[in-house]
Amino acid sequence: MNRYGLHGKLMATEGNGEKLSSILLQASELVSTAKGCHLYMVSKDKSDRNAVWVTEVWDSKEDHDNSLNVEGVRELIAQAMPILSGRPEPGQELEIQGGAGLE
């Protein structure tokens, strides 16, 4: 099964963790329609209310990259950028081997 995975943390400015999480959840609805998307999971960090984690599983890196072209995704990115505490660090790229919930 080799699939492409991405796991990363985004940091919101103080007090904007919920807003960032909401934007990313909207993004998850949009990219779930993209070719090759198996998972776009948004998680709150229990130890830092301004940190939001995103975990993604795709058929390929190309499918992930193409998801940026889904209508509305760039607009959500534009909404998120001003409330980030800094430039997002690159996410950890993973080669998914398999697991529960993945066919």
Side-chain angles (χ1 to χ4, degrees), residues 73-93:
V73 168
R74 293 196 186 270
E75 290 81 0
L76 290 172
I77 292 170
Q79 288 177 34
M81 292 305 286
I83 62 168
L84 294 177
S85 66
R87 186 162 180 79
E89 293 183 25
Q92 182 177 12
E93 291 185 290

Side-chain angles (χ1 to χ4, degrees), residues 26-67:
Q26 290 175 63
S28 75
E29 291 178 25
L30 296 178
V31 299
S32 70
T33 66
K35 176 185 175 290
C37 180
H38 294 276
L39 176 73
Y40 188 101
M41 183 173 71
V42 179
S43 306
K44 292 179 5 181
D45 191 317
K46 290 180 81 172
S47 65
D48 184 343
R49 63 189 177 117
N50 296 312
V52 181
W53 290 86
V54 176
T55 305
E56 304 176 56
V57 176
W58 296 86
D59 281 338
S60 67
K61 182 175 185 330
E62 180 182 34
D63 287 341
H64 168 267
D65 293 346
N66 288 335
S67 72

